[in-house]
Coordinates of all heavy atoms in Angstrom, one line a residue:
M825 N -10.3 0.4 -10.3 CA -9.9 -1.0 -10.2 C -10.6 -1.7 -9.0 O -11.2 -2.7 -9.2 CB -8.4 -1.0 -9.9 CG -7.8 -2.3 -9.8 SD -6.0 -2.1 -9.8 CE -5.4 -3.7 -9.6
F826 N -10.6 -1.1 -7.8 CA -11.3 -1.7 -6.7 C -12.4 -0.8 -6.3 O -12.3 0.4 -6.2 CB -10.3 -1.9 -5.5 CG -9.3 -2.9 -5.7 CD1 -8.1 -2.6 -6.2 CD2 -9.6 -4.2 -5.4 CE1 -7.1 -3.6 -6.5 CE2 -8.6 -5.2 -5.7 CZ -7.4 -4.9 -6.2
R827 N -13.6 -1.4 -6.1 CA -14.8 -0.6 -5.6 C -15.4 -1.4 -4.5 O -15.4 -2.6 -4.5 CB -15.8 -0.5 -6.8 CG -15.3 0.6 -7.7 CD -16.3 0.6 -8.9 NE -15.8 -0.2 -9.9 CZ -16.4 -0.9 -10.8 NH1 -17.7 -0.8 -10.9 NH2 -15.8 -1.7 -11.6
R828 N -16.0 -0.6 -3.6 CA -16.7 -1.3 -2.5 C -18.0 -1.8 -3.1 O -18.6 -1.3 -4.0 CB -17.1 -0.2 -1.4 CG -15.8 0.2 -0.7 CD -16.2 1.2 0.4 NE -17.1 0.7 1.4 CZ -16.8 -0.1 2.4 NH1 -15.5 -0.4 2.6 NH2 -17.6 -0.5 3.3
R829 N -18.4 -2.9 -2.5 CA -19.7 -3.4 -2.9 C -20.8 -2.4 -2.6 O -20.8 -1.8 -1.5 CB -20.0 -4.8 -2.2 CG -19.1 -5.9 -2.6 CD -19.3 -7.1 -1.8 NE -20.7 -7.3 -1.6 CZ -21.2 -8.4 -1.0 NH1 -20.4 -9.3 -0.6 NH2 -22.5 -8.5 -0.7
P830 N -21.8 -2.2 -3.4 CA -22.8 -1.2 -3.1 C -23.6 -1.5 -1.9 O -24.1 -0.6 -1.2 CB -23.7 -1.3 -4.4 CG -23.2 -2.4 -5.2 CD -22.0 -2.9 -4.7
D831 N -23.7 -2.8 -1.5 CA -24.5 -3.1 -0.3 C -23.6 -3.2 1.0 O -24.1 -3.6 2.1 CB -25.2 -4.5 -0.5 CG -24.2 -5.6 -0.8 OD1 -23.1 -5.3 -1.2 OD2 -24.6 -6.8 -0.6
A832 N -22.3 -2.8 0.9 CA -21.4 -2.9 2.0 C -21.8 -1.7 3.0 O -22.1 -0.6 2.5 CB -20.0 -2.7 1.6
P833 N -21.8 -2.0 4.3 CA -22.1 -0.9 5.2 C -21.0 0.2 5.2 O -19.9 -0.1 4.9 CB -22.1 -1.6 6.6 CG -21.3 -2.9 6.4 CD -21.5 -3.2 4.9
A834 N -21.5 1.4 5.4 CA -20.5 2.5 5.3 C -19.5 2.4 6.5 O -19.9 2.1 7.6 CB -21.3 3.8 5.4
A835 N -18.2 2.6 6.2 CA -17.2 2.5 7.2 C -16.7 3.9 7.4 O -16.6 4.7 6.5 CB -16.1 1.6 6.7
A836 N -16.2 4.2 8.6 CA -15.6 5.5 8.9 C -14.3 5.6 8.0 O -13.7 4.6 7.7 CB -15.2 5.6 10.3
A837 N -14.0 6.8 7.6 CA -12.8 7.0 6.7 C -11.6 7.5 7.5 O -11.8 8.2 8.5 CB -13.1 7.9 5.6
V838 N -10.4 7.0 7.2 CA -9.2 7.5 7.8 C -8.4 8.2 6.7 O -8.3 7.7 5.6 CB -8.4 6.3 8.3 CG1 -7.0 6.7 8.8 CG2 -9.2 5.6 9.4
A839 N -7.9 9.4 7.0 CA -7.1 10.1 6.0 C -5.6 9.8 6.2 O -5.1 9.9 7.3 CB -7.3 11.6 6.2
V840 N -5.0 9.3 5.1 CA -3.6 9.0 5.1 C -2.9 9.8 4.0 O -3.7 10.3 3.1 CB -3.3 7.5 5.0 CG1 -3.9 6.7 6.1 CG2 -3.8 7.0 3.7
T841 N -1.6 9.9 4.0 CA -0.9 10.5 2.9 C -0.2 9.5 2.1 O 0.7 8.8 2.6 CB 0.1 11.6 3.5 OG1 -0.7 12.5 4.3 CG2 0.7 12.3 2.3
V842 N -0.5 9.4 0.8 CA 0.2 8.5 -0.1 C 1.0 9.3 -1.1 O 0.4 10.0 -1.9 CB -0.8 7.6 -0.8 CG1 0.0 6.6 -1.7 CG2 -1.6 6.8 0.2
E843 N 2.3 9.3 -1.0 CA 3.2 10.1 -1.8 C 2.8 11.5 -1.9 O 2.7 12.1 -2.9 CB 3.2 9.5 -3.2 CG 3.7 8.0 -3.2 CD 5.0 7.8 -4.0 OE1 5.2 8.5 -4.9 OE2 5.7 6.9 -3.6
G844 N 2.5 12.1 -0.7 CA 2.1 13.5 -0.6 C 0.7 13.8 -0.9 O 0.3 15.0 -0.8
R845 N -0.1 12.9 -1.3 CA -1.5 13.1 -1.6 C -2.4 12.5 -0.6 O -2.2 11.3 -0.2 CB -1.8 12.5 -3.0 CG -3.2 12.8 -3.5 CD -3.3 12.4 -4.9 NE -2.9 11.1 -5.2 CZ -3.6 10.1 -5.8 NH1 -4.8 10.5 -6.3 NH2 -3.2 9.0 -6.0
E846 N -3.4 13.3 -0.1 CA -4.3 12.7 0.9 C -5.2 11.7 0.2 O -5.8 12.0 -0.8 CB -5.1 13.8 1.6 CG -6.0 13.2 2.7 CD -6.8 14.3 3.4 OE1 -6.2 15.1 4.1 OE2 -8.0 14.3 3.3
V847 N -5.4 10.6 0.9 CA -6.3 9.5 0.4 C -7.1 9.1 1.6 O -6.6 8.9 2.7 CB -5.5 8.3 -0.1 CG1 -6.4 7.1 -0.5 CG2 -4.6 8.7 -1.3
R848 N -8.4 9.0 1.4 CA -9.3 8.6 2.4 C -9.6 7.1 2.2 O -10.0 6.6 1.2 CB -10.6 9.4 2.4 CG -10.3 10.9 2.7 CD -11.5 11.7 2.9 NE -12.2 11.4 4.1 CZ -11.8 11.8 5.3 NH1 -10.7 12.5 5.5 NH2 -12.6 11.5 6.4
V849 N -9.3 6.3 3.3 CA -9.4 4.9 3.3 C -10.4 4.4 4.3 O -10.4 5.0 5.4 CB -8.0 4.3 3.6 CG1 -8.0 2.8 3.4 CG2 -6.9 4.9 2.7
P850 N -11.2 3.4 4.1 CA -12.1 2.9 5.1 C -11.3 2.5 6.4 O -10.2 1.8 6.2 CB -12.7 1.7 4.4 CG -12.6 1.9 3.0 CD -11.3 2.7 2.8
A851 N -11.8 2.8 7.5 CA -11.1 2.4 8.8 C -10.9 0.9 8.8 O -11.8 0.2 8.4 CB -11.9 2.9 10.0
G852 N -9.8 0.4 9.2 CA -9.5 -1.0 9.3 C -8.9 -1.6 8.1 O -8.5 -2.7 8.0
A853 N -8.8 -0.7 7.0 CA -8.2 -1.2 5.8 C -6.7 -1.2 5.9 O -6.1 -0.6 6.9 CB -8.6 -0.3 4.6
S854 N -6.0 -1.8 5.0 CA -4.5 -1.9 5.1 C -3.8 -0.7 4.3 O -4.5 -0.1 3.5 CB -4.0 -3.2 4.5 OG -4.3 -3.3 3.1
A855 N -2.6 -0.5 4.6 CA -1.8 0.4 3.9 C -1.7 0.0 2.4 O -1.7 0.9 1.5 CB -0.4 0.6 4.5
A856 N -1.7 -1.3 2.1 CA -1.7 -1.7 0.7 C -3.0 -1.3 0.0 O -3.0 -0.9 -1.1 CB -1.6 -3.3 0.7
A857 N -4.1 -1.3 0.7 CA -5.4 -0.8 0.2 C -5.3 0.6 -0.2 O -5.8 1.1 -1.2 CB -6.5 -1.1 1.1
A858 N -4.6 1.4 0.7 CA -4.4 2.8 0.4 C -3.6 3.0 -0.9 O -3.9 3.9 -1.7 CB -3.8 3.5 1.6
M859 N -2.6 2.2 -1.0 CA -1.8 2.3 -2.2 C -2.6 2.0 -3.5 O -2.5 2.7 -4.5 CB -0.6 1.3 -2.1 CG 0.4 1.6 -1.0 SD 1.7 2.8 -1.5 CE 2.6 1.9 -2.7
L860 N -3.4 0.9 -3.3 CA -4.2 0.6 -4.5 C -5.3 1.6 -4.8 O -5.5 2.0 -6.0 CB -4.9 -0.8 -4.2 CG -4.0 -2.0 -4.2 CD1 -4.7 -3.2 -3.7 CD2 -3.5 -2.3 -5.6
L861 N -5.9 2.2 -3.8 CA -6.8 3.3 -4.0 C -6.2 4.5 -4.6 O -6.8 5.2 -5.4 CB -7.4 3.7 -2.6 CG -8.6 2.8 -2.1 CD1 -8.9 3.1 -0.7 CD2 -9.8 2.9 -3.0
A862 N -4.9 4.7 -4.3 CA -4.2 5.8 -4.9 C -3.6 5.5 -6.3 O -3.1 6.3 -7.0 CB -3.0 6.2 -4.0
G863 N -3.8 4.2 -6.7 CA -3.4 3.8 -8.0 C -1.9 3.6 -8.2 O -1.3 3.7 -9.3
L864 N -1.2 3.3 -7.0 CA 0.3 3.3 -7.1 C 0.8 1.8 -7.0 O 0.1 1.0 -6.3 CB 0.9 4.1 -5.9 CG 0.6 5.6 -6.0 CD1 1.2 6.2 -4.8 CD2 1.1 6.2 -7.3
T865 N 1.9 1.6 -7.5 CA 2.6 0.3 -7.4 C 4.0 0.5 -7.0 O 4.4 1.7 -6.9 CB 2.6 -0.4 -8.8 OG1 3.2 0.4 -9.8 CG2 1.2 -0.8 -9.3
R866 N 4.7 -0.5 -6.8 CA 6.2 -0.4 -6.4 C 7.0 -0.9 -7.6 O 6.5 -1.4 -8.6 CB 6.5 -1.1 -5.1 CG 6.6 -2.6 -5.3 CD 7.1 -3.3 -4.0 NE 7.2 -4.7 -4.3 CZ 8.4 -5.3 -4.6 NH1 9.5 -4.6 -4.7 NH2 8.4 -6.6 -4.8
E867 N 8.3 -0.7 -7.5 CA 9.2 -1.2 -8.5 C 10.2 -2.2 -7.8 O 10.6 -1.9 -6.7 CB 10.0 0.0 -9.1 CG 9.1 0.9 -9.8 CD 9.8 2.2 -10.1 OE1 11.0 2.4 -9.8 OE2 9.2 3.1 -10.7
T868 N 10.5 -3.3 -8.5 CA 11.5 -4.2 -8.0 C 12.9 -3.6 -7.9 O 13.2 -2.7 -8.6 CB 11.5 -5.5 -8.8 OG1 11.9 -5.2 -10.1 CG2 10.2 -6.2 -8.9
A869 N 13.6 -4.2 -6.9 CA 14.9 -3.6 -6.6 C 15.9 -3.8 -7.7 O 16.8 -2.9 -7.9 CB 15.5 -4.3 -5.3
V870 N 15.9 -4.8 -8.5 CA 17.0 -5.1 -9.5 C 16.6 -4.5 -10.9 O 17.3 -3.8 -11.5 CB 17.3 -6.6 -9.6 CG1 18.3 -6.9 -10.7 CG2 17.8 -7.1 -8.2
R871 N 15.4 -4.9 -11.4 CA 15.1 -4.5 -12.7 C 14.1 -3.4 -12.8 O 13.8 -2.9 -13.9 CB 14.5 -5.7 -13.5 CG 15.5 -6.8 -13.7 CD 15.0 -7.8 -14.6 NE 16.0 -8.8 -14.8 CZ 15.9 -9.9 -15.6 NH1 14.9 -10.0 -16.3 NH2 16.9 -10.7 -15.7
G872 N 13.5 -3.0 -11.7 CA 12.6 -1.9 -11.7 C 11.2 -2.3 -12.3 O 10.5 -1.4 -12.8
T873 N 10.9 -3.5 -12.3 CA 9.7 -4.0 -12.8 C 8.5 -3.6 -11.8 O 8.7 -3.6 -10.6 CB 9.7 -5.6 -12.9 OG1 10.9 -5.9 -13.6 CG2 8.5 -6.1 -13.5
T874 N 7.4 -3.3 -12.4 CA 6.3 -2.9 -11.6 C 5.6 -4.0 -10.9 O 5.4 -5.1 -11.5 CB 5.2 -2.3 -12.6 OG1 5.8 -1.1 -13.2 CG2 4.0 -1.7 -11.8
R875 N 5.3 -3.8 -9.6 CA 4.6 -4.8 -8.8 C 3.5 -4.2 -8.0 O 3.6 -3.0 -7.6 CB 5.6 -5.5 -7.8 CG 6.6 -6.4 -8.5 CD 6.0 -7.7 -8.9 NE 7.0 -8.6 -9.3 CZ 7.5 -8.8 -10.6 NH1 7.0 -8.0 -11.5 NH2 8.4 -9.6 -10.9
A876 N 2.5 -4.9 -7.8 CA 1.4 -4.4 -7.0 C 1.1 -5.5 -5.9 O 1.4 -6.6 -6.1 CB 0.1 -4.2 -7.8
P877 N 0.4 -5.1 -4.8 CA 0.1 -6.1 -3.8 C -0.7 -7.2 -4.5 O -1.6 -7.0 -5.3 CB -0.9 -5.3 -2.9 CG -0.4 -3.9 -3.0 CD 0.0 -3.7 -4.4
Y878 N -0.4 -8.5 -4.1 CA -0.9 -9.6 -4.8 C -1.7 -10.5 -3.8 O -2.9 -10.7 -4.0 CB 0.2 -10.4 -5.4 CG -0.3 -11.6 -6.1 CD1 -1.1 -11.5 -7.3 CD2 0.0 -12.9 -5.7 CE1 -1.5 -12.7 -7.9 CE2 -0.4 -14.0 -6.3 CZ -1.2 -13.9 -7.5 OH -1.6 -15.0 -8.1
C879 N -1.0 -11.0 -2.7 CA -1.7 -11.9 -1.9 C -2.6 -11.3 -0.8 O -3.5 -11.8 -0.3 CB -0.7 -12.9 -1.2 SG 0.3 -12.1 0.0
L880 N -2.1 -10.1 -0.4 CA -2.8 -9.3 0.7 C -2.9 -10.1 2.0 O -3.8 -9.9 2.8 CB -4.2 -8.9 0.2 CG -4.1 -7.9 -1.0 CD1 -5.6 -7.6 -1.5 CD2 -3.4 -6.6 -0.6
M881 N -1.9 -11.0 2.2 CA -1.9 -11.8 3.5 C -0.5 -12.1 4.0 O -0.3 -13.0 4.7 CB -2.7 -13.1 3.4 CG -2.3 -14.0 2.3 SD -3.4 -15.4 2.3 CE -2.4 -16.5 1.3
G882 N 0.5 -11.3 3.5 CA 1.8 -11.4 4.1 C 2.7 -12.5 3.5 O 3.7 -12.8 4.2
V883 N 2.4 -13.0 2.3 CA 3.2 -14.1 1.8 C 4.1 -13.6 0.7 O 5.2 -14.0 0.6 CB 2.2 -15.2 1.3 CG1 3.0 -16.3 0.6 CG2 1.4 -15.8 2.5
C884 N 3.6 -12.8 -0.3 CA 4.4 -12.6 -1.5 C 5.4 -11.4 -1.4 O 6.2 -11.3 -2.3 CB 3.4 -12.3 -2.6 SG 2.6 -10.7 -2.6
F885 N 5.3 -10.5 -0.5 CA 6.1 -9.4 -0.4 C 6.1 -8.4 -1.6 O 7.0 -7.6 -1.8 CB 7.6 -9.8 -0.2 CG 7.9 -10.3 1.2 CD1 7.4 -11.6 1.6 CD2 8.5 -9.6 2.1 CE1 7.6 -12.1 2.9 CE2 8.8 -10.1 3.4 CZ 8.3 -11.3 3.8
D886 N 5.0 -8.5 -2.4 CA 4.9 -7.6 -3.5 C 4.3 -6.2 -3.1 O 4.0 -5.4 -4.0 CB 4.1 -8.2 -4.6 CG 4.9 -9.0 -5.6 OD1 6.2 -8.8 -5.6 OD2 4.4 -9.9 -6.2
C887 N 4.1 -6.1 -1.8 CA 3.4 -4.8 -1.3 C 4.4 -4.0 -0.5 O 4.0 -3.1 0.2 CB 2.2 -5.2 -0.5 SG 2.7 -6.1 1.0
L888 N 5.7 -4.3 -0.6 CA 6.7 -3.5 0.2 C 6.5 -2.0 -0.1 O 6.3 -1.6 -1.2 CB 8.1 -3.9 -0.2 CG 8.5 -5.3 0.3 CD1 9.9 -5.6 -0.1 CD2 8.3 -5.5 1.8
A889 N 6.6 -1.3 1.0 CA 6.4 0.2 1.0 C 7.1 0.8 2.1 O 7.6 0.2 3.1 CB 4.9 0.5 1.0
E890 N 7.3 2.1 2.0 CA 7.9 2.9 3.1 C 6.7 3.5 3.8 O 5.9 4.2 3.3 CB 8.8 4.0 2.6 CG 9.4 4.8 3.6 CD 10.4 5.8 3.1 OE1 11.3 5.4 2.2 OE2 10.3 7.0 3.4
I891 N 6.6 3.2 5.1 CA 5.5 3.6 5.9 C 6.0 4.4 7.1 O 6.8 3.9 7.9 CB 4.6 2.4 6.4 CG1 4.0 1.7 5.2 CG2 3.5 2.9 7.3 CD1 3.3 0.4 5.5
D892 N 5.6 5.6 7.2 CA 6.1 6.6 8.3 C 7.6 6.6 8.3 O 8.2 6.5 9.4 CB 5.4 6.2 9.6 CG 4.0 6.6 9.7 OD1 3.5 7.5 8.9 OD2 3.2 5.9 10.5
G893 N 8.2 6.6 7.2 CA 9.7 6.7 7.1 C 10.4 5.4 7.3 O 11.6 5.4 7.2
V894 N 9.7 4.3 7.5 CA 10.4 3.0 7.6 C 10.2 2.2 6.4 O 9.1 1.8 6.0 CB 9.8 2.2 8.8 CG1 10.5 0.9 9.0 CG2 9.9 3.0 10.1
P895 N 11.3 1.9 5.7 CA 11.2 1.1 4.4 C 11.0 -0.4 4.7 O 11.1 -0.9 5.8 CB 12.6 1.3 3.7 CG 13.5 1.6 4.9 CD 12.7 2.3 6.0
N896 N 10.7 -1.1 3.6 CA 10.6 -2.6 3.6 C 9.5 -3.1 4.5 O 9.5 -4.2 5.1 CB 11.9 -3.3 4.1 CG 13.0 -3.1 3.1 OD1 12.8 -3.1 1.9 ND2 14.2 -2.9 3.6
R897 N 8.4 -2.3 4.6 CA 7.2 -2.8 5.3 C 6.3 -3.5 4.4 O 6.0 -3.1 3.3 CB 6.5 -1.6 6.0 CG 7.3 -0.7 6.9 CD 7.6 -1.3 8.2 NE 6.4 -1.8 8.9 CZ 5.6 -1.1 9.7 NH1 5.8 0.2 9.9 NH2 4.6 -1.7 10.3
Q898 N 5.7 -4.6 4.9 CA 4.7 -5.3 4.1 C 3.4 -4.5 4.3 O 2.7 -4.7 5.4 CB 4.5 -6.7 4.6 CG 5.6 -7.6 4.1 CD 5.4 -9.0 4.7 OE1 5.7 -9.2 5.8 NE2 4.9 -9.9 3.8
S899 N 3.0 -3.7 3.4 CA 1.9 -2.8 3.6 C 0.6 -3.5 3.7 O -0.4 -2.9 4.4 CB 1.8 -1.8 2.4 OG 1.6 -2.4 1.2
C900 N 0.5 -4.7 3.3 CA -0.8 -5.5 3.5 C -1.0 -5.9 4.9 O -2.1 -6.2 5.3 CB -0.9 -6.7 2.5 SG 0.2 -8.0 3.0
M901 N 0.1 -5.8 5.7 CA 0.0 -6.3 7.1 C -0.1 -5.1 8.1 O -0.1 -5.3 9.3 CB 1.2 -7.2 7.4 CG 1.4 -8.4 6.5 SD 0.0 -9.5 6.5 CE 0.0 -10.2 8.1
V902 N -0.2 -3.9 7.5 CA -0.3 -2.7 8.4 C -1.6 -2.0 8.2 O -2.0 -1.7 7.1 CB 0.9 -1.7 8.0 CG1 0.8 -0.5 8.8 CG2 2.2 -2.4 8.1
T903 N -2.3 -1.8 9.3 CA -3.6 -1.2 9.3 C -3.4 0.3 9.3 O -2.6 0.9 10.0 CB -4.4 -1.5 10.5 OG1 -4.6 -3.0 10.5 CG2 -5.8 -0.9 10.5
V904 N -4.2 1.0 8.4 CA -4.0 2.5 8.3 C -4.4 3.1 9.6 O -5.2 2.7 10.4 CB -4.9 3.1 7.2 CG1 -4.4 2.6 5.8 CG2 -6.3 2.8 7.4
A905 N -3.7 4.3 9.9 CA -3.9 5.1 11.1 C -4.0 6.5 10.6 O -3.3 6.9 9.6 CB -2.8 4.9 12.1
P906 N -4.7 7.4 11.2 CA -4.8 8.8 10.8 C -3.4 9.4 10.7 O -2.6 9.3 11.6 CB -5.6 9.5 11.9 CG -6.4 8.4 12.5 CD -5.6 7.1 12.4
G907 N -3.2 10.1 9.6 CA -1.9 10.8 9.4 C -0.8 9.9 8.9 O 0.4 10.4 8.7
M908 N -1.0 8.6 8.7 CA 0.1 7.7 8.3 C 0.6 8.2 6.9 O -0.1 8.7 6.1 CB -0.5 6.3 8.1 CG 0.5 5.3 7.6 SD -0.3 3.6 7.5 CE -0.1 3.1 9.2
R909 N 1.9 8.1 6.8 CA 2.6 8.5 5.5 C 3.1 7.2 4.8 O 3.8 6.5 5.3 CB 3.8 9.4 5.8 CG 3.3 10.8 6.3 CD 4.5 11.6 6.7 NE 5.1 11.0 7.9 CZ 6.4 10.5 8.0 NH1 7.1 10.6 6.9 NH2 6.9 10.0 9.1
I910 N 2.6 7.1 3.6 CA 2.9 5.9 2.8 C 3.6 6.3 1.5 O 3.1 7.2 0.9 CB 1.6 5.1 2.5 CG1 0.9 4.7 3.8 CG2 2.0 3.8 1.7 CD1 -0.5 4.2 3.5
A911 N 4.7 5.6 1.2 CA 5.4 5.9 -0.1 C 5.8 4.6 -0.8 O 6.0 3.6 -0.1 CB 6.6 6.8 0.2
R912 N 5.9 4.7 -2.1 CA 6.3 3.6 -2.9 C 7.7 3.1 -2.5 O 8.5 4.0 -2.2 CB 6.3 3.9 -4.4 CG 5.0 3.8 -5.0 CD 5.1 4.0 -6.4 NE 5.0 5.4 -6.7 CZ 4.8 6.0 -7.9 NH1 4.7 5.2 -8.9 NH2 4.7 7.3 -8.0
Q913 N 8.0 1.9 -2.6 CA 9.3 1.3 -2.4 C 10.0 1.4 -3.8 O 9.5 0.7 -4.7 CB 9.2 0.0 -1.8 CG 10.5 -0.7 -1.7 CD 11.0 -0.8 -0.2 OE1 10.2 -0.4 0.7 NE2 12.1 -1.4 0.0
R914 N 11.1 2.1 -3.8 CA 11.8 2.1 -5.1 C 13.3 1.6 -4.9 O 14.0 2.1 -4.0 CB 11.9 3.5 -5.7 CG 10.5 4.0 -6.1 CD 10.7 5.3 -6.9 NE 9.5 5.7 -7.5 CZ 8.8 6.7 -7.1 NH1 9.1 7.4 -6.0 NH2 7.7 7.1 -7.7
G915 N 13.7 0.6 -5.6 CA 15.1 0.1 -5.5 C 15.3 -0.6 -4.1 O 14.4 -0.9 -3.4
K916 N 16.6 -0.8 -3.9 CA 17.0 -1.5 -2.7 C 17.0 -0.6 -1.5 O 17.2 0.6 -1.6 CB 18.4 -2.1 -2.8 CG 18.5 -3.2 -3.8 CD 19.8 -3.8 -3.7 CE 20.6 -3.6 -5.0 NZ 21.9 -4.2 -5.1
R917 N 16.7 -1.2 -0.3 CA 16.8 -0.5 0.9 C 17.7 -1.3 1.8 O 17.8 -2.5 1.7 CB 15.4 -0.4 1.6 CG 14.4 0.4 0.9 CD 14.8 1.9 0.9 NE 13.8 2.8 0.5 CZ 13.5 3.2 -0.8 NH1 14.3 2.7 -1.7 NH2 12.5 4.0 -1.0
A918 N 18.4 -0.6 2.7 CA 19.2 -1.2 3.7 C 18.4 -2.0 4.6 O 17.3 -1.6 5.0 CB 20.0 -0.2 4.5
V919 N 18.9 -3.2 5.0 CA 18.1 -4.0 6.0 C 18.7 -3.8 7.4 O 19.8 -3.7 7.6 CB 18.2 -5.5 5.6 CG1 17.4 -6.4 6.6 CG2 17.6 -5.7 4.2
Ligands
FES389 S1 0.5 -8.4 -0.8 FE1 1.6 -10.2 -0.5 S2 2.8 -9.8 1.2 FE2 1.6 -8.1 1.0

């Protein structure tokens, strides 16, 4: 789905865990990018409809994820860090 431009400079990779699977993400990328690289989406709280990151700038909330055990995070606004654990958001979470 997403590919780096062939002429893009090589970036250092950061290893994160997405739903228990190691994914290598370019340094400086967002947790939403890691989810997209892993091919994962989230499900809406009420109907369970599939959603994927859309705006990638903190507006639409379609990228909600659980990051390092904290639910309801806008994954597009979180920069990956080594060892970060990312999981899909399923259903409602307490606020
Ligand atoms: S993708 Fe829209 S808020 Fe994150």
Side-chain angles (χ1 to χ4, degrees):
M825 181 172 179
F826 290 93
R827 283 177 267 155
R828 291 180 62 80
R829 291 176 39 175
D831 59 340
V838 174
V840 300
T841 303
V842 180
E843 302 244 330
R845 183 169 54 126
E846 183 178 295
V847 176
R848 297 189 69 76
V849 184
S854 68
M859 296 273 291
L860 290 168
L861 282 169
L864 297 179
T865 56
R866 74 174 185 95
E867 296 166 1
T868 59
V870 177
R871 294 190 179 183
T873 307
T874 301
R875 291 284 188 269
Y878 180 68
C879 73
L880 298 172
M881 59 183 190
V883 175
C884 73
F885 286 74
D886 274 337
C887 63
L888 291 179
E890 183 176 309
I891 299 174
D892 288 335
V894 180
N896 292 325
R897 303 282 312 272
Q898 285 177 283
S899 61
C900 70
M901 303 304 290
V902 178
T903 302
V904 292
M908 178 180 278
R909 292 172 292 115
I910 304 166
R912 278 185 273 196
Q913 176 107 0
R914 290 191 173 104
K916 291 189 243 179
R917 295 290 193 270
V919 178

